[in-house]
């Protein structure tokens, strides 16, 4: 069973940048899709980005396209989310996710369709 631990969250001013990391243990990430979801205060958890096991054809929510970049480093068993031009609307707890099925698809937009997730990391963007 895989354990996911997010890090890199914090407080940043609007227009700033943060880089989130998701470190996995207990299982390799090689061959598995991964993704990021976020949950703003008082709102539902929504899709942010995902990356297939191939590392190509990444997917993004419209609200973050052109500002966020998802990537993975199989050697480090870690996934990243580079967040630039942050806006107050990006304030949320960010969760990384992965699946139990190797070679499965990454175009999965509902949180409940992913099998593993971390404890989340808080990102707060001040105006």
């Amino acid at each position: 069973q895989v354990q996911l631990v997010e890090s890199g969250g914090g407080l940043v001013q609007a227009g700033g940048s943060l880089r989130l990391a998701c470190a996995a243990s207990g299982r390799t990430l090689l061959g598995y899709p991964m993704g990021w979801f976020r949950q703003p205060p008082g709102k539902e958890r929504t899709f942010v980005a995902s990356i297939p096991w191939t590392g190509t054809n990444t997917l993004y929510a419209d609200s973050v396209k052109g500002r966020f970049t998802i990537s993975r480093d199989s050697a480090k068993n870690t996934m990243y989310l580079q967040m630039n031009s942050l806006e107050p609307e990006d304030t949320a707890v960010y969760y990384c996710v992965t699946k139990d099925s190797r070679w499965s698809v990454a175009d999965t937009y509902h949180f409940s369709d992913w099998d593993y997730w971390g404890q989340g990391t808080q990102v707060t963007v001040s105006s």
Side-chain angles (χ1 to χ4, degrees):
Q1 192 169 3
V2 62
Q3 290 79 43
L4 303 174
V5 178
E6 303 93 338
S7 62
L11 174 64
V12 64
Q13 287 188 332
S17 299
L18 282 174
R19 188 193 194 201
L20 304 184
C22 174
S25 61
R27 190 199 74 186
T28 179
L29 295 178
L30 192 63
Y32 295 90
M34 298 196 70
W36 290 95
F37 280 73
R38 67 185 181 184
Q39 186 168 21
K43 297 185 179 180
E44 294 185 349
R45 205 168 300 187
T46 59
F47 173 83
V48 175
S50 65
I51 184 166
W53 61 269
T54 57
T56 59
N57 299 320
T58 53
L59 300 171
Y60 297 93
D62 288 343
S63 59
V64 306
K65 278 181 184 176
R67 301 188 297 122
F68 290 11
T69 302
I70 188 172
S71 62
R72 60 194 300 164
D73 186 334
S74 296
K76 294 183 178 180
N77 223 30
T78 300
M79 176 182 64
Y80 303 96
L81 185 68
Q82 177 66 43
M83 306 187 295
N84 298 329
S85 301
L86 283 162
E87 304 168 352
E89 292 73 23
D90 296 317
T91 294
V93 177
Y94 284 72
Y95 300 88
C96 69
V97 296
T98 190
K99 290 187 177 182
D100 203 28
S101 302
R102 212 165 192 177
W103 322 125
S104 54
V105 298
D107 55 342
T108 306
Y109 302 103
H110 297 287
F111 185 81
S112 59
D113 291 332
W114 295 82
D115 301 303
Y116 300 102
W117 52 90
Q119 82 290 346
T121 186
Q122 176 70 48
V123 171
T124 303
V125 184
S126 63
S127 56

PDB file of all heavy atoms in Angstrom, residues 97-110:
ATOM      1  N   VAL A  97      -2.919  12.534  -5.252  1.00  0.00           N
ATOM      2  CA  VAL A  97      -3.647  11.279  -5.377  1.00  0.00           C
ATOM      3  C   VAL A  97      -2.935  10.350  -6.346  1.00  0.00           C
ATOM      4  O   VAL A  97      -2.174  10.794  -7.208  1.00  0.00           O
ATOM      5  CB  VAL A  97      -5.090  11.509  -5.875  1.00  0.00           C
ATOM      6  CG1 VAL A  97      -5.898  12.308  -4.863  1.00  0.00           C
ATOM      7  CG2 VAL A  97      -5.098  12.202  -7.235  1.00  0.00           C
ATOM      8  N   THR A  98      -3.206   9.068  -6.200  1.00  0.00           N
ATOM      9  CA  THR A  98      -2.744   8.092  -7.163  1.00  0.00           C
ATOM     10  C   THR A  98      -3.736   6.934  -7.200  1.00  0.00           C
ATOM     11  O   THR A  98      -4.685   6.898  -6.409  1.00  0.00           O
ATOM     12  CB  THR A  98      -1.317   7.607  -6.842  1.00  0.00           C
ATOM     13  OG1 THR A  98      -0.839   6.825  -7.943  1.00  0.00           O
ATOM     14  CG2 THR A  98      -1.297   6.760  -5.578  1.00  0.00           C
ATOM     15  N   LYS A  99      -3.497   6.037  -8.120  1.00  0.00           N
ATOM     16  CA  LYS A  99      -4.421   4.918  -8.277  1.00  0.00           C
ATOM     17  C   LYS A  99      -3.764   3.600  -7.904  1.00  0.00           C
ATOM     18  O   LYS A  99      -2.542   3.497  -7.804  1.00  0.00           O
ATOM     19  CB  LYS A  99      -4.922   4.849  -9.720  1.00  0.00           C
ATOM     20  CG  LYS A  99      -5.866   6.001 -10.087  1.00  0.00           C
ATOM     21  CD  LYS A  99      -6.457   5.777 -11.455  1.00  0.00           C
ATOM     22  CE  LYS A  99      -7.438   6.872 -11.807  1.00  0.00           C
ATOM     23  NZ  LYS A  99      -8.066   6.653 -13.132  1.00  0.00           N
ATOM     24  N   ASP A 100      -4.620   2.610  -7.760  1.00  0.00           N
ATOM     25  CA  ASP A 100      -4.163   1.277  -7.397  1.00  0.00           C
ATOM     26  C   ASP A 100      -3.833   0.444  -8.615  1.00  0.00           C
ATOM     27  O   ASP A 100      -3.137  -0.570  -8.515  1.00  0.00           O
ATOM     28  CB  ASP A 100      -5.252   0.579  -6.573  1.00  0.00           C
ATOM     29  CG  ASP A 100      -4.697  -0.534  -5.716  1.00  0.00           C
ATOM     30  OD1 ASP A 100      -3.508  -0.453  -5.328  1.00  0.00           O
ATOM     31  OD2 ASP A 100      -5.421  -1.497  -5.444  1.00  0.00           O
ATOM     32  N   SER A 101      -4.342   0.865  -9.778  1.00  0.00           N
ATOM     33  CA  SER A 101      -4.171   0.077 -10.994  1.00  0.00           C
ATOM     34  C   SER A 101      -3.050   0.653 -11.844  1.00  0.00           C
ATOM     35  O   SER A 101      -3.103   1.808 -12.267  1.00  0.00           O
ATOM     36  CB  SER A 101      -5.463   0.065 -11.813  1.00  0.00           C
ATOM     37  OG  SER A 101      -6.520  -0.448 -11.048  1.00  0.00           O
ATOM     38  N   ARG A 102      -2.082  -0.194 -12.094  1.00  0.00           N
ATOM     39  CA  ARG A 102      -0.970   0.261 -12.936  1.00  0.00           C
ATOM     40  C   ARG A 102      -1.453   0.428 -14.373  1.00  0.00           C
ATOM     41  O   ARG A 102      -2.366  -0.261 -14.817  1.00  0.00           O
ATOM     42  CB  ARG A 102       0.158  -0.768 -12.881  1.00  0.00           C
ATOM     43  CG  ARG A 102       1.530  -0.155 -13.022  1.00  0.00           C
ATOM     44  CD  ARG A 102       2.615  -1.116 -12.606  1.00  0.00           C
ATOM     45  NE  ARG A 102       3.886  -0.439 -12.482  1.00  0.00           N
ATOM     46  CZ  ARG A 102       4.999  -1.018 -12.085  1.00  0.00           C
ATOM     47  NH1 ARG A 102       4.995  -2.303 -11.765  1.00  0.00           N
ATOM     48  NH2 ARG A 102       6.125  -0.324 -11.999  1.00  0.00           N
ATOM     49  N   TRP A 103      -0.853   1.380 -15.080  1.00  0.00           N
ATOM     50  CA  TRP A 103      -1.150   1.667 -16.482  1.00  0.00           C
ATOM     51  C   TRP A 103      -2.570   2.213 -16.673  1.00  0.00           C
ATOM     52  O   TRP A 103      -3.075   2.247 -17.788  1.00  0.00           O
ATOM     53  CB  TRP A 103      -0.974   0.441 -17.373  1.00  0.00           C
ATOM     54  CG  TRP A 103       0.186  -0.454 -17.044  1.00  0.00           C
ATOM     55  CD1 TRP A 103       0.143  -1.789 -16.788  1.00  0.00           C
ATOM     56  CD2 TRP A 103       1.561  -0.093 -16.890  1.00  0.00           C
ATOM     57  NE1 TRP A 103       1.387  -2.275 -16.504  1.00  0.00           N
ATOM     58  CE2 TRP A 103       2.284  -1.248 -16.548  1.00  0.00           C
ATOM     59  CE3 TRP A 103       2.279   1.124 -16.992  1.00  0.00           C
ATOM     60  CZ2 TRP A 103       3.668  -1.250 -16.319  1.00  0.00           C
ATOM     61  CZ3 TRP A 103       3.651   1.119 -16.769  1.00  0.00           C
ATOM     62  CH2 TRP A 103       4.322  -0.052 -16.439  1.00  0.00           C
ATOM     63  N   SER A 104      -3.234   2.614 -15.621  1.00  0.00           N
ATOM     64  CA  SER A 104      -4.588   3.163 -15.761  1.00  0.00           C
ATOM     65  C   SER A 104      -4.521   4.625 -16.191  1.00  0.00           C
ATOM     66  O   SER A 104      -3.465   5.258 -16.151  1.00  0.00           O
ATOM     67  CB  SER A 104      -5.366   3.018 -14.448  1.00  0.00           C
ATOM     68  OG  SER A 104      -4.662   3.579 -13.371  1.00  0.00           O
ATOM     69  N   VAL A 105      -5.679   5.160 -16.601  1.00  0.00           N
ATOM     70  CA  VAL A 105      -5.723   6.495 -17.171  1.00  0.00           C
ATOM     71  C   VAL A 105      -5.667   7.580 -16.098  1.00  0.00           C
ATOM     72  O   VAL A 105      -5.928   7.319 -14.915  1.00  0.00           O
ATOM     73  CB  VAL A 105      -7.002   6.677 -18.024  1.00  0.00           C
ATOM     74  CG1 VAL A 105      -6.986   5.699 -19.185  1.00  0.00           C
ATOM     75  CG2 VAL A 105      -8.254   6.496 -17.165  1.00  0.00           C
ATOM     76  N   ALA A 106      -5.322   8.774 -16.545  1.00  0.00           N
ATOM     77  CA  ALA A 106      -5.213   9.901 -15.623  1.00  0.00           C
ATOM     78  C   ALA A 106      -6.353  10.895 -15.774  1.00  0.00           C
ATOM     79  O   ALA A 106      -6.449  11.835 -15.000  1.00  0.00           O
ATOM     80  CB  ALA A 106      -3.890  10.632 -15.835  1.00  0.00           C
ATOM     81  N   ASP A 107      -7.225  10.701 -16.794  1.00  0.00           N
ATOM     82  CA  ASP A 107      -8.323  11.651 -17.006  1.00  0.00           C
ATOM     83  C   ASP A 107      -9.499  11.265 -16.102  1.00  0.00           C
ATOM     84  O   ASP A 107     -10.576  10.901 -16.572  1.00  0.00           O
ATOM     85  CB  ASP A 107      -8.728  11.710 -18.469  1.00  0.00           C
ATOM     86  CG  ASP A 107      -9.086  10.349 -19.050  1.00  0.00           C
ATOM     87  OD1 ASP A 107      -8.714   9.331 -18.461  1.00  0.00           O
ATOM     88  OD2 ASP A 107      -9.761  10.335 -20.104  1.00  0.00           O
ATOM     89  N   THR A 108      -9.239  11.343 -14.816  1.00  0.00           N
ATOM     90  CA  THR A 108     -10.226  11.004 -13.790  1.00  0.00           C
ATOM     91  C   THR A 108     -10.435  12.225 -12.936  1.00  0.00           C
ATOM     92  O   THR A 108      -9.525  12.643 -12.212  1.00  0.00           O
ATOM     93  CB  THR A 108      -9.710   9.830 -12.941  1.00  0.00           C
ATOM     94  OG1 THR A 108      -9.364   8.753 -13.806  1.00  0.00           O
ATOM     95  CG2 THR A 108     -10.765   9.368 -11.949  1.00  0.00           C
ATOM     96  N   TYR A 109     -11.625  12.819 -13.032  1.00  0.00           N
ATOM     97  CA  TYR A 109     -11.854  14.138 -12.479  1.00  0.00           C
ATOM     98  C   TYR A 109     -12.604  14.146 -11.149  1.00  0.00           C
ATOM     99  O   TYR A 109     -12.806  15.205 -10.568  1.00  0.00           O
ATOM    100  CB  TYR A 109     -12.583  15.005 -13.503  1.00  0.00           C
ATOM    101  CG  TYR A 109     -11.825  15.117 -14.798  1.00  0.00           C
ATOM    102  CD1 TYR A 109     -12.215  14.390 -15.924  1.00  0.00           C
ATOM    103  CD2 TYR A 109     -10.703  15.920 -14.900  1.00  0.00           C
ATOM    104  CE1 TYR A 109     -11.506  14.478 -17.110  1.00  0.00           C
ATOM    105  CE2 TYR A 109      -9.990  16.014 -16.089  1.00  0.00           C
ATOM    106  CZ  TYR A 109     -10.398  15.294 -17.184  1.00  0.00           C
ATOM    107  OH  TYR A 109      -9.689  15.380 -18.344  1.00  0.00           O
ATOM    108  N   HIS A 110     -13.012  12.960 -10.703  1.00  0.00           N
ATOM    109  CA  HIS A 110     -13.687  12.865  -9.411  1.00  0.00           C
ATOM    110  C   HIS A 110     -12.741  12.287  -8.375  1.00  0.00           C
ATOM    111  O   HIS A 110     -12.123  11.241  -8.592  1.00  0.00           O
ATOM    112  CB  HIS A 110     -14.937  11.992  -9.525  1.00  0.00           C
ATOM    113  CG  HIS A 110     -15.969  12.561 -10.449  1.00  0.00           C
ATOM    114  ND1 HIS A 110     -16.738  13.649 -10.115  1.00  0.00           N
ATOM    115  CD2 HIS A 110     -16.334  12.225 -11.701  1.00  0.00           C
ATOM    116  CE1 HIS A 110     -17.552  13.940 -11.111  1.00  0.00           C
ATOM    117  NE2 HIS A 110     -17.325  13.092 -12.096  1.00  0.00           N
TER     118      HIS A 110
END
